[in-house]
Amino acid sequence: MTAAIAYAFASAIFLGAGVVLAQLGLRTVEPLSGAAISVPSFTLLFLVLSPLILHGEPVVWRGLPIFMAIGLFFPASLTLLTFASNRALGPVITSTLGNLAPLFAVTAAVVLLHEPLAPQQLIGLVVAVAGAAIITVTRPRDLGHWRSWALLLPLASALVRGIVPPIAKLGLAIWPSPLWGCLIGYIMSSIVVLTVQRIRKGSFMVQAPREGRFWFAMTGISNGLSALSLFAAVRNGPITLVAPLAAIYPLVTVAMSAMMLKHVEITARIVAGTLLTVIGVALVLIA
């Protein structure tokens, strides 16, 4: 369980950082084009390093269809939804509403995988999500106006992010390699986002300022490391443990937004929401 906990926390840190880095990229690049930069960036890095990191990793062809199917949605559609939400709502709301993902993940794990869920774990999960909701209320004034329909973007993102871990666990039960699973998923997702880019713009290459391309490349690497860590966490522990821990990434987003974007004020309400989130995680860990 120690490895699962460590990987879950790592996934949260990388994902929280990726949300803020994407906000920097969105200053000069639209969301769909940003996805066509970020996802292939990590895929290319992974392919370059694959002779080293995949050395000795066996291939189990029966697991291939599952990881390919995952790749059609994760991270492709998740990235597109997150970037669009980032632009419409800002990184803080995107992250905190995305924190509903563990509710979907735990529900799917109990129904599909028949994982046990202790009452204390359920209480911890609800407390952590409540803490994230309190943080959401403190939307900074300078994030701009947004419409209620835009809330569907992070909610859809949360649904995708919640359903993927149980399906990934099914794939890892057949092919127990988070490295191969993540690489196959990213190859499929790269095909998806580049195809969308080709249809929209007539070219696979994104025409964007160098700064925008840089930030989205960094976003892709951060998100990719988060996905890889999540696969490793799911491989080493139950989703009822992993999902709530990985969902603390809004805390990272708030902290980094305050430092890098200069428009998030750390108020008493944010502190209270953070404390609730930490208490919820503690309840999950000691269950």
Side-chain angles (χ1 to χ4, degrees):
M1 291 299 179
T2 301
I5 292 171
Y7 283 127
F9 278 129
S11 179
I13 292 171
F14 285 123
L15 183 58
V19 172
V20 179
L21 293 173
Q23 188 71 4
L24 296 173
L26 286 168
R27 292 174 177 176
T28 55
V29 182
E30 61 177 334
L32 294 180
S33 294
I37 298 172
S38 65
V39 176
S41 292
F42 182 70
T43 305
L44 180 60
L45 177 63
F46 209 147
L47 287 171
V48 170
L49 296 176
S50 60
L52 295 176
I53 62 179
L54 292 177
H55 180 69
E57 288 281 326
V59 175
V60 181
W61 295 110
R62 290 187 299 115
L64 182 63
I66 296 178
F67 291 131
M68 290 180 67
I70 290 174
L72 294 176
F73 298 95
F74 180 85
S77 63
L78 178 61
T79 300
L80 296 173
L81 287 168
T82 300
F83 288 171
S85 176
N86 232 330
R87 166 164 283 188
L89 302 172
V92 175
I93 293 178
T94 295
S95 291
T96 48
L97 289 185
N99 204 42
L100 294 174
L103 295 177
F104 297 117
V106 168
T107 300
V110 171
V111 173
L112 296 178
L113 305 177
H114 307 292
E115 289 189 4
L117 179 64
Q120 187 169 320
Q121 285 179 304
L122 178 59
I123 293 172
L125 175 60
V126 172
V127 170
V129 172
I134 289 176
I135 296 173
T136 305
V137 174
T138 63
R139 180 174 64 92
R141 294 180 181 178
D142 59 350
L143 284 182
H145 299 289
W146 45 272
R147 302 182 180 216
S148 58
W149 65 263
L151 295 175
L152 293 175
L153 295 171
L155 290 176
S157 174
L159 179 61
V160 173
R161 186 177 287 112
I163 291 178
V164 163
I167 297 176
K169 195 169 185 69
L170 291 173
L172 290 168
I174 300 172
W175 188 353
S177 175
L179 290 169
W180 271 115
C182 188
L183 177 58
I184 293 168
Y186 259 81
I187 290 174
M188 294 300 298
S189 282
S190 294
I191 294 173
V192 171
V193 295
L194 289 175
T195 299
V196 171
Q197 176 68 14
R198 177 68 173 81
I199 293 173
R200 292 175 60 247
K201 301 294 185 179
S203 172
F204 292 112
M205 298 298 296
V206 175
Q207 300 299 321
R210 180 178 301 177
E211 180 182 8
R213 292 199 302 268
F214 170 79
W215 286 119
F216 270 114
M218 293 299 100
T219 298
I221 292 173
S222 187
N223 288 343
L225 291 174
S226 174
L228 182 57
S229 299
L230 179 63
F231 274 51
V234 168
R235 171 71 179 85
N236 287 278
I239 292 171
T240 50
L241 171 67
V242 171
L245 301 184
I248 68 168
Y249 75 94
L251 303 183
V252 179
T253 299
V254 170
M256 288 191 64
S257 294
M259 291 184 294
M260 299 179 63
L261 303 182
K262 308 300 183 183
H263 66 200
V264 177
E265 180 184 358
I266 304 300
T267 64
R269 189 180 294 270
I270 286 183
V271 172
T274 300
L275 289 176
L276 273 180
T277 302
V278 172
I279 291 172
V281 168
L283 289 172
V284 171
L285 288 176
I286 64 178

